[in-house]
């Protein structure tokens, strides 16, 4: 196996011998150059830099690490059965990555849709194809991040559902509007390959690389079927390709706004399109204009082989309310003394989201009828924490309180069913204790169940216009990570203490990195869960610390690192 000549790469006796800090810096600088060249419209520079990246040993190493160590699906095999690679196998995969190798079919996996009896099809590529897709994504993503529209929020680095909800709020909080709440039918499965490749408009070798991934076919229970359209859900590069396919919707709506009678600037500001992946809303004060927008978008989608889903596409008014991304957005009429506009915009968790969440909690409780209380609490806490954090940016206090009450009721019955021959007072004393003045804390010793109402409501600040993690403003992006609603409070505190850097490798955490909490003094040796005994690491760094027993950076060494390590 050949050795790398890349600067900053140590002689490889093992996978951990790579100087990952220098490799990450080197890749990021190259991606930043691609982003800036794309911003200024220098196509020749973009293509030259992309070709350099695709041939780079550095980029190949990081692509392989992301699919074999960082991704949650690293233990899921494709049609070749390869998964959970050893360090030696990872190095061999890096050495064998070739852009001209034929793609293998994806393996069909069916996963349930939340709150539905339907199942969603995933296409799992082989580990080799995943690594190659990750490499191609590293080259293409910076180019398109500089071109994507400002109100596109799905499957993009540094953007989330909460940014889309905040964008909707900003669009309607001063004026009631009509809403086209739309959903594209089978978006991932119906994208026209030729139209997608034409819009991608990349250099020939990249086009020849992507086309086989789209046309590789699917193996479902040993039956092969062609894929003449669509991008396989489950592929590393599929979300990026779907965004590229839908790029231009906002621009098309702006052109339509300019054609309307009246002032162009006013028409543009009045008409808004906000998209998250294949779900989008169009907002305007005039119902007939919203109806015409529906026709314009339906016609625009035909070029990509797509169409709107009638059952999920409707026109409504903000006074009636609508659901989007698990939230309900509705305006309520109030007196002039309460609001100058005569109404208030209230965003709450949607009824469907609440129902799915409660059903999930009930399912866990029912499956732990005879399990220890600690086991039940350990299963419920992550579900409660994740759901409440997601909905903590809107008016959720009443919903949280209601959920806490019905969950308390359910847990009471759980206790009575376990001890039918005991009194209710005995059951209450066994499973409930006191915590911060409340005598109704479901707990077993120091382990207690989180309450929905404990989660504070903190408003989310929308991402700046067209800002991207590739713009190099890492101070802005690392601070946003700590303030993200889905970032647990413990991790946010550690992130702030460590100044946004990994305690092992010293690199600044980037959007999309998986963060792991590491115990400095292991619990098996008397360590506790206090913040003083915890530090935040990359997922791969955490594996190294436990597997290789590598020393982590001290707090002083972490503080001495340059404020901008890139």
């Amino acid at each position: 196996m050949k050795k790398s000549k890349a600067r900053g790469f140590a002689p490889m006796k093992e996978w951990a011998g790579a100087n990952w800090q220098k490799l990450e810096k080197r890749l990021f600088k190259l991606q930043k150059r691609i982003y800036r060249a794309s911003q200024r419209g220098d196509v020749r520079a973009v293509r030259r830099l992309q070709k350099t990246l695709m041939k780079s040993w550095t980029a190949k190493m990081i692509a392989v690490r992301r699919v074999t160590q960082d991704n949650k699906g690293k233990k899921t095999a494709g049609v070749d059965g390869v998964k959970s690679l050893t360090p030696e196998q990872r190095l061999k995969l890096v050495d064998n990555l070739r852009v001209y190798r034929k793609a293998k079919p994806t393996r069909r996996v069916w996963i349930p849709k939340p709150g539905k009896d339907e199942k969603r099809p995933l296409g799992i590529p082989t580990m080799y194809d995943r690594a190659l897709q990750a490499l191609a994504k590293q080259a293409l993503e910076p180019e398109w991040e500089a071109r994507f529209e400002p109100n596109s929020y799905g499957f993009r680095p540094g953007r989330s559902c909460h940014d889309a909800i905040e964008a909707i709020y900003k669009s309607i909080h001063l004026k009631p509007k009509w809403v086209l709440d739309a959903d594209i039918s089978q978006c991932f499965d119906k994208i026209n390959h030729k139209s997608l490749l034409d819009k991608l408009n990349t250099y020939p070798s990249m086009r020849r690389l992507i086309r086989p991934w789209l046309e590789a076919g699917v193996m479902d229970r040993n039956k092969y079927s062609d894929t003449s359209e669509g991008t396989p859900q489950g592929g590393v590069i599929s979300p990026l390709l779907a965004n590229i396919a839908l790029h231009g919707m906002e621009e098309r709506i702006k052109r339509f706004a300019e054609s309307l009678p009246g002032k162009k600037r006013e028409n543009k500001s009045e008409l808004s399109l906000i998209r998250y992946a294949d779900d989008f809303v169009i907002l305007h004060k005039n119902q007939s204009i919203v109806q015409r927008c529906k026709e314009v978008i339906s016609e625009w989608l035909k070029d990509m082989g797509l169409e709107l889903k009638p059952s999920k596409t409707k026109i409504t008014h903000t006074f009636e309310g609508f659901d989007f991304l698990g939230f309900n957005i509705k305006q309520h009429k109030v007196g002039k003394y309460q609001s100058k506009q005569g109404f208030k915009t209230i965003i709450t968790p949607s009824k469907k989201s609440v129902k799915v969440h409660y059903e999930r909690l009930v399912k866990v409780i029912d499956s732990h009828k005879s399990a220890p209380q600690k086991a039940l609490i350990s299963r419920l806490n992550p579900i409660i924490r994740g759901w409440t954090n997601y909905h903590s940016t809107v008016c959720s206090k009443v919903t949280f309180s209601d959920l806490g009450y019905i969950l308390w009721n359910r847990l009471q019955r759980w206790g009575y069913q376990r001890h039918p021959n005991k009194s209710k007072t005995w059951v209450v004393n066994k499973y409930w204790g006191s915590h911060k003045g409340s005598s109704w804390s479901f707990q077993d010793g120091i382990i207690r169940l989180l309450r929905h109402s404990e989660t504070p409501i903190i408003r989310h600040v929308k991402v700046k216009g067209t800002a991207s993690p590739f713009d190099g403003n890492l101070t802005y992006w690392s601070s946003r990570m700590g303030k993200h609603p889905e970032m647990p409070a413990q991790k946010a505190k550690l992130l702030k203490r460590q100044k946004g850097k990994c305690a092992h490798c010293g690199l600044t955490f980037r959007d999309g990195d998986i963060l792991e909490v590491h115990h400095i003094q292991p619990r098996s040796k008397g360590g506790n869960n206090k913040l003083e005994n915890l530090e935040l690491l990359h997922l791969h760094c955490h594996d190294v610390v436990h597997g290789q027993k590598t020393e982590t950076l001290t707090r002083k060494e972490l503080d001495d690192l340059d404020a901008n390590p890139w």
Side-chain angles (χ1 to χ4, degrees), residues 10 16 413 436 444 491 553:
R413 296 201 301 273
K436 292 185 178 180
D444 184 1
K491 287 186 177 180
L553 294 176

PDB file of all heavy atoms in Angstrom, residues 10 16 413 436 444 491 553:
ATOM      1  N   ALA A  10       1.624  11.805   9.134  1.00  0.00           N
ATOM      2  CA  ALA A  10       2.708  11.024   9.736  1.00  0.00           C
ATOM      3  C   ALA A  10       2.824   9.673   9.056  1.00  0.00           C
ATOM      4  O   ALA A  10       1.851   9.157   8.513  1.00  0.00           O
ATOM      5  CB  ALA A  10       2.430  10.840  11.224  1.00  0.00           C
ATOM      6  N   ALA A  16      -4.635   5.586  13.601  1.00  0.00           N
ATOM      7  CA  ALA A  16      -4.552   6.691  14.555  1.00  0.00           C
ATOM      8  C   ALA A  16      -3.268   7.502  14.396  1.00  0.00           C
ATOM      9  O   ALA A  16      -3.119   8.555  15.004  1.00  0.00           O
ATOM     10  CB  ALA A  16      -4.652   6.167  15.990  1.00  0.00           C
ATOM     11  N   ARG A 413     -50.495   4.592  37.061  1.00  0.00           N
ATOM     12  CA  ARG A 413     -51.125   3.308  36.742  1.00  0.00           C
ATOM     13  C   ARG A 413     -50.074   2.211  36.590  1.00  0.00           C
ATOM     14  O   ARG A 413     -50.311   1.057  36.942  1.00  0.00           O
ATOM     15  CB  ARG A 413     -51.955   3.442  35.450  1.00  0.00           C
ATOM     16  CG  ARG A 413     -53.114   4.415  35.588  1.00  0.00           C
ATOM     17  CD  ARG A 413     -54.193   4.153  34.546  1.00  0.00           C
ATOM     18  NE  ARG A 413     -53.704   4.265  33.176  1.00  0.00           N
ATOM     19  CZ  ARG A 413     -53.660   5.406  32.510  1.00  0.00           C
ATOM     20  NH1 ARG A 413     -54.036   6.544  33.099  1.00  0.00           N
ATOM     21  NH2 ARG A 413     -53.249   5.425  31.274  1.00  0.00           N
ATOM     22  N   LYS A 436     -36.596  19.569  44.522  1.00  0.00           N
ATOM     23  CA  LYS A 436     -36.761  21.026  44.396  1.00  0.00           C
ATOM     24  C   LYS A 436     -38.173  21.483  44.773  1.00  0.00           C
ATOM     25  O   LYS A 436     -38.850  22.199  44.022  1.00  0.00           O
ATOM     26  CB  LYS A 436     -36.427  21.480  42.966  1.00  0.00           C
ATOM     27  CG  LYS A 436     -34.953  21.324  42.623  1.00  0.00           C
ATOM     28  CD  LYS A 436     -34.630  21.892  41.251  1.00  0.00           C
ATOM     29  CE  LYS A 436     -33.144  21.778  40.955  1.00  0.00           C
ATOM     30  NZ  LYS A 436     -32.787  22.322  39.624  1.00  0.00           N
ATOM     31  N   ASP A 444     -35.704   7.015  41.408  1.00  0.00           N
ATOM     32  CA  ASP A 444     -35.154   5.872  42.132  1.00  0.00           C
ATOM     33  C   ASP A 444     -33.776   6.293  42.625  1.00  0.00           C
ATOM     34  O   ASP A 444     -32.791   6.226  41.882  1.00  0.00           O
ATOM     35  CB  ASP A 444     -35.058   4.650  41.222  1.00  0.00           C
ATOM     36  CG  ASP A 444     -34.581   3.409  41.951  1.00  0.00           C
ATOM     37  OD1 ASP A 444     -34.333   3.484  43.173  1.00  0.00           O
ATOM     38  OD2 ASP A 444     -34.440   2.349  41.307  1.00  0.00           O
ATOM     39  N   LYS A 491     -24.040  19.662  27.145  1.00  0.00           N
ATOM     40  CA  LYS A 491     -23.086  19.807  26.047  1.00  0.00           C
ATOM     41  C   LYS A 491     -22.834  21.279  25.732  1.00  0.00           C
ATOM     42  O   LYS A 491     -21.710  21.659  25.401  1.00  0.00           O
ATOM     43  CB  LYS A 491     -23.586  19.068  24.801  1.00  0.00           C
ATOM     44  CG  LYS A 491     -23.497  17.554  24.894  1.00  0.00           C
ATOM     45  CD  LYS A 491     -23.870  16.893  23.580  1.00  0.00           C
ATOM     46  CE  LYS A 491     -23.710  15.369  23.662  1.00  0.00           C
ATOM     47  NZ  LYS A 491     -24.078  14.695  22.397  1.00  0.00           N
ATOM     48  N   LEU A 553      -5.861  16.469  25.578  1.00  0.00           N
ATOM     49  CA  LEU A 553      -5.239  17.745  25.900  1.00  0.00           C
ATOM     50  C   LEU A 553      -5.680  18.212  27.284  1.00  0.00           C
ATOM     51  O   LEU A 553      -6.818  18.006  27.685  1.00  0.00           O
ATOM     52  CB  LEU A 553      -5.659  18.800  24.873  1.00  0.00           C
ATOM     53  CG  LEU A 553      -5.177  18.590  23.438  1.00  0.00           C
ATOM     54  CD1 LEU A 553      -5.783  19.669  22.555  1.00  0.00           C
ATOM     55  CD2 LEU A 553      -3.678  18.610  23.333  1.00  0.00           C
TER      56      LEU A 553
END
